[in-house]
Amino acid sequence: MERTIAEYIEKARKAQEEIKDYTQEQVDKLCYEAAKIIYKNAEPLAKMAVEETGFGSVEDKIGKNTDTPAAFWDYLKDKPSVGIINERPGEGIIEIAHPIGVIACITPATNPTVTPLGNFMHVIKGKNAGIVSAAPRAKNTTGKTVDLIREALTANGAPADLFQMVEDPTLAKSQELMEKADLVIATGSSGLTKAAYSSGTPAYGVGPGNPPVILDSDFDLKEAASITKVAVGSDNGILCDGDNQLLYPKDEEKALTEALEAEGIVVFENKEDIDKLRAVIFKEDGKINPGIIGKDAALIASAAGINIPADTKVIAIKQDGIDGTEVLNKEIMGPVVILKKYETFSEAVKMAVANMEESGGIGHTAGILSHNDDHIREAIEQLPVARVLINQPTPDAWGPSTNSLSPAVSESCGTWGNNVNIEGGNVDYKHMINITTAVTPLDIEVPDAAKMFAD
């Protein structure tokens, strides 16, 4: 008989009760063992994901399945999250962490292993229990991921039901899970995020990506081309924080094109070819063609009747200006980057902002390739995004060891993206605990209001 959502919740609460007295060391051990078991199964999980979903690259997913566990554990291993987590005697403050409870984890088909793993590590760090509702298209891969984590829990004497997955996930089951859980982490489409917020349960969600990257005139073009290839081509472009537009100085057009081509990126500027590609990437109603999501660049070109080398990682399409009616300016979840030239750096910043406002992606991520501090400050003060990646691939927004962002599989977009996590940071374990602040009176001189406001 199929288990009800109420039964999943009940089992999760029972499992959480069993670990209520776990120490920080015991909790951290579960984090580590979950990361380790996914790391050791990186290759079969990657192959399974591509075979089941049709999204992405096996090679890149293997990298995800090895790098993510390591980065998450390296970040989490020394963070206090159980009991008293902070004392500030000079301020008379003691902070105590409390679990939130049962957390609903709504996971996407594009990242069927690293998202549930990342969710679990943050969930268990706060001594919570998690229940996954997977994208139906990825239910087998996500199910295998959850089973492996449950195996690690059992092997370390912890209840397996600290992490469960809803069998045969549906939209209705996801909705019920979100309504009955204590907190929701929703990773996926904007529609899914809205559903999470309308569930009546506190929820963290994300928004659609569409990152613009501004290439400054002082930046090495060979390095820029290499970064672009990584940012756009990784896992066949299904990353929401991968470059969608590269804005470049008009005077560098010829040299940039040569640098991109030297990296194996195929650049299209012929109107007839661009029209063919547009017709394949987007449907007539302006929505993305699901058949190209996460597919090889050569396959996308072939669908447009264009032959390119089979090992091509990225397609680049030249476009002029910003126009909300041009569908190519929208998020493309494939290995495609739109190239736009600009006259001045200030114009490039305005173009980046306008593109996000007109075609989506506001609040998410942007990138700058520059060594000019004045230009960098000009851009970061104006770009309406939660993360600006400077001189690195924008997918590093997830928080690898190469920057100081917290490793996360949910990248909030602040109020720009209608997200509850209004500071716009990466959602991590700190968002999955309640904190009691105990405060004692201070022996200080109390301000004299009358004197303070005498003038």
Side-chain angles (χ1 to χ4, degrees):
M1 181 180 294
E2 186 175 348
R3 191 183 305 175
T4 66
I5 295 299
E7 288 172 328
Y8 283 105
I9 296 285
E10 182 182 358
K11 285 179 175 291
R13 295 202 188 286
K14 181 180 177 182
Q16 191 188 12
E17 177 67 17
E18 290 182 39
I19 67 164
K20 67 178 182 178
D21 295 324
Y22 268 34
T23 64
Q24 184 74 66
E25 290 72 23
Q26 287 175 297
V27 166
D28 287 349
K29 176 69 170 172
L30 300 183
C31 277
Y32 172 80
E33 293 296 340
K36 180 179 177 180
I37 200 167
I38 297 305
Y39 171 85
K40 288 185 173 295
N41 287 274
E43 185 171 343
L45 286 169
K47 291 178 178 177
M48 188 176 183
V50 174
E51 288 173 3
E52 181 180 18
T53 68
F55 295 156
S57 153
V58 170
E59 180 183 357
D60 290 344
K61 286 191 183 296
I62 291 172
K64 278 186 182 181
N65 294 346
T66 55
D67 295 351
T68 303
F72 268 67
W73 172 242
D74 188 59
Y75 172 74
L76 291 171
K77 64 183 180 183
D78 58 356
K79 303 291 191 300
S81 61
V82 174
I84 295 175
I85 59 173
N86 189 24
E87 293 187 67
R88 302 200 295 275
E91 300 174 45
I93 284 177
I94 300 175
E95 293 178 336
I96 306 96
H98 300 277
I100 286 176
V102 177
I103 300 180
C105 307
I106 315 302
T107 63
T110 50
N111 281 309
T113 292
V114 296
T115 297
L117 171 65
N119 286 162
F120 173 76
M121 293 182 72
H122 287 312
V123 164
I124 199 64
K125 182 72 175 176
K127 216 189 288 189
N128 301 289
I131 302 174
V132 173
S133 182
R137 184 169 182 165
K139 66 179 182 180
N140 294 327
T141 307
T142 300
K144 180 62 176 177
T145 301
V146 172
D147 285 345
L148 286 168
I149 293 172
R150 286 169 62 86
E151 179 183 319
L153 289 169
T154 302
N156 286 275
D161 287 338
L162 284 170
F163 205 46
Q164 304 173 73
M165 191 185 95
V166 176
E167 294 180 7
D168 297 319
T170 64
L171 183 59
K173 289 179 182 178
S174 291
Q175 189 68 45
E176 184 181 358
L177 175 62
M178 290 191 288
E179 290 170 358
K180 292 182 176 177
D182 300 308
L183 179 71
V184 177
I185 313 169
T187 308
S189 67
S190 56
L192 175 64
T193 300
K194 290 178 182 177
Y197 293 151
S198 66
S199 67
T201 302
Y204 291 114
V206 298
N210 195 17
V213 174
I214 302 173
L215 171 61
D216 206 347
S217 58
D218 69 346
F219 199 82
D220 181 75
L221 295 180
K222 182 178 179 180
E223 184 179 358
S226 176
I227 288 174
T228 299
K229 182 178 179 179
V230 171
V232 182
S234 293
D235 211 8
N236 282 350
I238 60 172
L239 307 176
C240 59
D241 46 21
D243 298 8
N244 259 45
Q245 296 91 30
L246 179 63
L247 310 176
Y248 62 91
K250 180 180 179 180
D251 293 342
E252 301 282 0
E253 182 164 29
K254 184 176 184 297
L256 175 63
T257 300
E258 292 173 352
L260 293 171
E261 290 176 341
E263 280 291 332
I265 296 173
V266 178
V267 181
F268 289 95
E269 50 188 325
N270 178 276
K271 182 180 182 303
E272 182 179 349
D273 289 337
I274 293 172
D275 287 344
K276 290 178 181 178
L277 289 165
R278 182 191 295 109
V280 164
I281 297 169
F282 288 94
K283 298 188 293 184
E284 290 185 4
D285 60 3
K287 294 182 179 179
I288 193 77
N289 172 11
I292 65 95
I293 295 176
K295 294 296 189 293
D296 292 343
L299 190 151
I300 295 172
S302 177
I306 303 170
N307 291 321
I308 62 175
D311 61 352
T312 301
K313 291 288 289 183
V314 174
I315 289 171
I317 301 175
K318 290 187 178 181
Q319 286 287 297
D320 290 326
I322 304 298
D323 185 350
T325 63
E326 171 54 75
V327 293
L328 287 172
N329 290 332
K330 295 182 179 180
E331 181 181 30
I332 302 172
M333 297 189 71
V336 180
V337 62
I338 305 304
L339 306 178
K340 300 173 187 284
K341 59 190 173 187
Y342 65 82
E343 296 279 356
T344 67
F345 188 85
S346 294
E347 180 191 23
V349 174
K350 291 176 182 177
M351 289 171 66
V353 173
N355 197 82
M356 287 185 286
E357 291 176 342
E358 290 274 337
S359 301
I362 190 167
H364 205 294
T365 301
I368 301 172
L369 303 178
S370 175
H371 300 296
N372 184 318
D373 289 342
D374 290 337
H375 282 179
I376 290 172
R377 290 182 180 276
E378 177 184 353
I380 63 179
E381 287 178 6
Q382 295 185 50
L383 292 167
V385 293
R387 288 156 293 272
V388 179
L389 280 292
I390 301 172
N391 300 340
Q392 58 193 299
T394 53
D396 285 355
W398 75 271
S401 57
T402 52
N403 64 43
S404 59
L405 293 172
S406 61
V409 289
S410 293
E411 297 165 12
S412 175
C413 300
T415 57
W416 293 299
N418 193 33
N419 293 169
V420 172
N421 186 19
I422 59 174
E423 80 268 20
N426 290 355
V427 178
D428 67 9
Y429 79 98
K430 296 188 295 293
H431 302 96
M432 297 174 212
I433 54 176
N434 284 315
I435 297 177
T436 297
T437 301
V439 58
T440 58
L442 298 176
D443 184 16
I444 61 173
E445 182 179 350
V446 177
D448 186 332
K451 184 184 295 184
M452 182 181 292
F453 302 117
D455 294 339

